[in-house]
Amino acid sequence: NIQNLKSKCGADTIVDVQHHQIYQWAAKSTDLGTKGICDVFDAEGSVRLCLFGHRHIHQRSLPLVYEGKGKATTKEKAEYAADTKGTIYMQSPSMWYQFTEPLDNELVANNGKPSFKGSYTGYGEMTITPEALVSETYVYEGTGKARHDRIDQFKILRPKA
């Protein structure tokens, strides 16, 4: 329960991790949020980032609140303040499965498109400090290739103690 994490554990920044996507923007998808999960994140607060995979693409939303569908609370930024409302939903790439091309959507902040064409694989790195959570996503052009791009980077500031 999110309230327990906040009250009993003192959590100020919660990262939710799941396999299947809650938000997705792929060619065969019309799912723009999951009632019962996204609205709980909003009601309980403090869920700053929701990570998921399954589709093996990189897409990151703007900070969203769920009002029957996603609604952005701010424009794209490299750094989100501690008081930014909403949850950022990020679909992570895979090191062993090639990307499919993600779609553009008004709620997507970053589609993770590298400088090179063709299929590619990728991975993400996250650094969590007392001050911030920093996320970086990289892709590379097939196994053993030298082409390597950082396609996304953003920071979520944590509340000051």
Side-chain angles (χ1 to χ4, degrees), residues 80-161:
Y80 295 98
D83 63 351
T84 300
K85 301 284 186 225
T87 302
I88 295 172
Y89 296 87
M90 190 167 92
Q91 196 158 9
S92 299
S94 171
M95 291 183 76
W96 61 270
Y97 190 84
Q98 294 182 340
F99 260 25
T100 54
E101 196 66 29
L103 298 179
D104 292 320
N105 182 286
E106 65 187 23
L107 301 177
V108 172
N110 183 292
N111 255 342
K113 295 177 182 172
S115 63
F116 49 86
K117 296 286 183 196
S119 61
Y120 40 94
T121 55
Y123 62 95
E125 295 181 0
M126 188 147 315
T127 305
I128 300 173
T129 68
E131 294 79 32
L133 179 152
V134 178
S135 174
E136 297 176 287
T137 304
Y138 297 88
V139 295
Y140 55 95
E141 189 180 26
T143 307
K145 303 277 182 155
R147 258 346 251 260
H148 198 89
D149 281 2
R150 181 173 65 197
I151 56 170
D152 193 13
Q153 178 179 14
F154 67 97
K155 181 188 289 188
I156 299 172
L157 298 177
R158 296 176 69 187
K160 298 215 185 287

Side-chain angles (χ1 to χ4, degrees), residues 6-60:
K6 290 168 55 178
S7 64
K8 293 182 181 175
C9 302
D12 60 44
T13 302
I14 298 170
V15 177
D16 177 69
V17 181
Q18 302 191 30
H19 176 81
H20 287 278
Q21 61 274 17
I22 293 175
Y23 273 86
Q24 58 183 349
W25 300 277
K28 295 180 180 177
S29 172
T30 57
D31 181 18
L32 294 177
T34 303
K35 185 168 176 50
I37 298 175
C38 299
D39 49 348
V40 169
F41 288 176
D42 293 346
E44 303 275 337
S46 295
V47 179
R48 303 297 306 279
L49 180 63
C50 177
L51 300 173
F52 43 91
H54 189 66
R55 300 215 40 152
H56 306 282
I57 63 175
H58 174 74
Q59 286 188 309
R60 173 174 56 87

